[in-house]
């Protein structure tokens, strides 16, 4: 803490004034407190928030102004609390405050220790405070006075209510106007003088004049009304008669062919020129919906070989090791698949019962072989089963023919 030394020193030898130092200047209590508060980095609002003392009281303590306090009896406590907050000596700070401001501690029952009364407002305060006559004032002094009605009304709420009231009024008026327009009946004046017809026969105009030689219309209407219904059975025609009367066995692809018939033993049998047809062979023909599938390409392996068949889009259809005698029917797609094999001499192709190949030499890897009939027949030669090079294929074909022959 900064010490308080305010004595002035002069040179006793030559009578000249020496240069002043830091301790030669007079430091007041407020300057010391402001310095300590600045060192702590606190503002007046920070001190008010932490000590629960008004910022105006803190400023009055730093300015040594006791007149800013409403109750002089609390000045000593405020000064000591603020000094302890700044880590200063509380008693020394209070003595310095009294010395600089001229403040003196008053007795607790004296008038100086009570709340200071403003000039001109003493009678009103006495009448409203606890010291006044409690029976003369109907209001309880320690209860806050109620606020007025106008202070509880917000302008924004008033505006919202006015808008809502205008909206409700507009909707009501619009509904009433529409209802009035719907139910309104207007009478238009007609420039026509009413005629007096009381002396005339009211039924004279209802009599129709019948010409000579014609039937009375009234009698004709009665005759038509009471005429008996026709007793004949009506003829009904189906709406779908053009379709429901079609016989499929006489028209189109289902029609039976015109075959001459012969009469045998009183029975009529179909005759094709060589003799009567057996029962069941002559009848309605069934149309063929799907065309006959032409024979495709078949892969034949005479020795174990790795093969890979890929479609035109790159997807793998078959990837395996075909053993001797194993066959694979190449699927018929829009674009012919392609073959890749590791043992080219072991793979042959069967097209329409004939064998083409082999794909390549022994131990050779062959790829990008198009598996279509035109590509195979144009690229490979017909395999000669009598040639010694195709001995394995000849043996396989002989075994297959032996298996297909029926047992005697």
């Amino acid at each position: 803490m900064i010490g308080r030394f305010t004595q002035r020193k002069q040179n006793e030898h030559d009578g000249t004034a020496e240069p002043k130092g830091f301790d030669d200047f007079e430091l007041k209590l407020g300057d010391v407190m402001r310095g300590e508060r600045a060192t702590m980095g606190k503002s007046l609002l920070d001190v008010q928030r932490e000590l629960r003392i008004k910022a105006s009281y803190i400023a009055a303590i730093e300015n040594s102004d006791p007149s800013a306090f409403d109750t002089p009896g609390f000045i000593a406590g405020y000064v000591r609390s603020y000094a302890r907050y700044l880590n200063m000596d509380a008693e020394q700070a209070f003595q310095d405050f009294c010395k600089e401001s001229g403040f003196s501690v008053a007795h607790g029952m004296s008038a100086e220790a009570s709340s200071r009364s403003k000039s001109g407002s003493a009678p009103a305060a006495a009448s409203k405070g606890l010291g006044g006559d409690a029976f003369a004032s109907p209001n309880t002094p320690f209860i806050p006075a109620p606020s007025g009605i106008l202070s509880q009304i917000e302008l924004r709420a008033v505006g919202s209510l006015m808008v809502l009231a205008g909206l409700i009024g507009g909707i009501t008026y619009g509904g009433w106007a529409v209802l009035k327009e719907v139910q309104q009946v207007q009478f238009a004046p007609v420039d026509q003088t009413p005629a007096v017809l009381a002396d005339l026969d009211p039924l004279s105009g209802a009599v129709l004049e019948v010409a000579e030689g014609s039937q009375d219309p009234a009698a004709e209407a009665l005759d038509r009304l009471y005429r008996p219904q026709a007793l004949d059975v009506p003829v009904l025609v189906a709406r779908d008669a053009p379709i429901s009367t079609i016989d499929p066995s006489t028209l189109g692809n289902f029609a039976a062919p015109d075959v001459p018939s012969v009469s045998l033993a009183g029975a009529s049998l179909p005759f094709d020129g060589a003799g009567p047809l057996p029962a069941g062979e002559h009848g309605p023909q069934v149309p063929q919906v799907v065309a006959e599938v032409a024979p495709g390409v078949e892969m034949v392996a005479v020795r174990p070989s790795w093969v890979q068949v890929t479609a035109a889009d790159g997807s793998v259809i078959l990837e395996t090791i075909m053993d001797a005698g194993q066959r694979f029917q190449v699927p018929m797609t829009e674009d012919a698949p392609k073959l890749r094999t590791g043992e080219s001499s072991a793979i042959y192709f069967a097209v329409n019962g004939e064998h083409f190949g082999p794909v390549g030499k022994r131990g050779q890897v062959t790829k990008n072989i198009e598996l279509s009939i035109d590509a195979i027949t144009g690229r490979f030669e017909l395999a000669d089963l009598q040639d010694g090079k195709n001995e394995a294929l000849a043996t396989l074909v002989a075994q297959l023919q032996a298996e297909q022959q029926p047992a005697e």
Side-chain angles (χ1 to χ4, degrees), residues 29-67:
L29 177 63
D31 298 334
V32 176
M33 287 185 170
R34 276 189 287 269
E36 294 295 334
R37 180 166 57 81
T39 303
M40 296 174 63
K42 301 291 184 179
S43 63
L44 293 177
L45 295 178
D46 295 336
V47 178
Q48 174 182 341
R49 188 163 41 252
E50 296 178 6
L51 291 183
R52 298 294 190 271
I53 300 176
K54 293 182 179 180
S56 59
Y57 291 170
I58 301 298
I61 294 173
E62 294 179 352
N63 296 329
S64 299
D65 183 15
S67 62

Side-chain angles (χ1 to χ4, degrees), residues 96-393:
D96 294 342
F97 178 81
C98 295
K99 181 179 179 181
E100 295 178 4
S101 62
F103 175 75
S104 60
V105 179
H107 191 270
M109 299 301 293
S110 62
E112 291 79 1
S114 60
S115 299
R116 295 185 296 104
S117 60
K118 305 293 181 179
S119 59
S121 62
S127 61
K128 293 184 179 180
L130 292 174
D133 190 1
F135 295 97
S137 178
N139 298 329
T140 306
F142 49 82
I143 295 179
S147 58
I149 298 177
L150 296 179
S151 63
Q152 299 179 358
I153 299 176
E154 295 184 3
L155 296 179
R156 293 179 296 178
V158 174
S160 302
L161 289 176
M162 293 178 62
V163 172
L164 181 60
L167 182 61
I168 294 176
I171 294 175
T172 304
Y173 176 76
W176 175 78
V178 171
L179 184 62
K180 182 180 178 182
E181 187 70 21
V182 169
Q183 295 183 352
Q184 186 176 7
V185 179
Q186 296 181 356
F187 295 93
V190 178
D191 297 338
Q192 182 179 1
T193 303
V196 180
L197 300 177
D199 55 346
L200 301 178
D201 186 6
L203 300 179
S204 60
V207 178
L208 298 177
E209 296 181 359
V210 180
E212 296 181 359
S214 63
Q215 189 179 1
D216 188 0
E220 183 180 0
L222 292 176
D223 183 40
R224 185 170 59 253
L225 179 63
Y226 294 103
R227 181 183 304 168
Q229 299 180 357
L231 301 179
D232 297 337
V233 179
V235 179
L236 302 179
V237 178
R239 291 184 179 180
D240 57 346
I243 298 177
S244 61
T245 55
I246 294 176
D247 187 4
S249 61
T250 59
L251 299 173
N253 295 328
F254 295 94
D258 296 336
V259 179
S261 60
V262 295
S263 178
L264 296 176
S268 178
L269 297 177
F271 183 78
D272 61 351
L277 296 177
E281 293 187 3
H282 177 69
Q285 297 181 356
V286 179
Q288 184 176 354
V289 180
V290 182
E292 296 181 358
V293 180
V297 179
E298 188 177 13
M299 294 170 48
V300 181
V302 297
R303 287 187 301 275
S305 175
W306 174 85
V307 295
Q308 182 185 44
V309 180
T310 57
D313 57 355
S315 60
V316 178
I317 300 176
L318 173 67
E319 184 175 5
T320 183
I321 296 177
M322 297 183 64
D323 296 331
Q326 188 175 356
R327 310 171 75 90
F328 174 71
Q329 184 70 33
V330 179
M332 300 180 64
T333 56
E334 183 177 0
D335 295 332
K338 295 183 179 181
L339 170 66
R340 181 177 182 180
T341 177
E343 177 58 40
S344 301
S345 63
I347 302 300
Y348 290 83
F349 300 105
V351 179
N352 295 330
E354 298 178 347
H355 293 81
F356 294 84
V359 175
K361 297 180 180 180
R362 188 177 183 86
Q364 182 181 0
V365 177
T366 308
K367 57 183 179 180
N368 296 329
I369 300 176
E370 185 178 351
L371 299 179
S372 63
I373 296 178
D374 296 338
I376 291 175
T377 55
R379 180 174 180 177
F380 301 101
E381 297 180 355
L382 184 64
D384 187 6
L385 301 181
Q386 304 299 329
D387 191 355
K389 298 181 180 179
N390 302 324
E391 183 179 359
L393 178 61

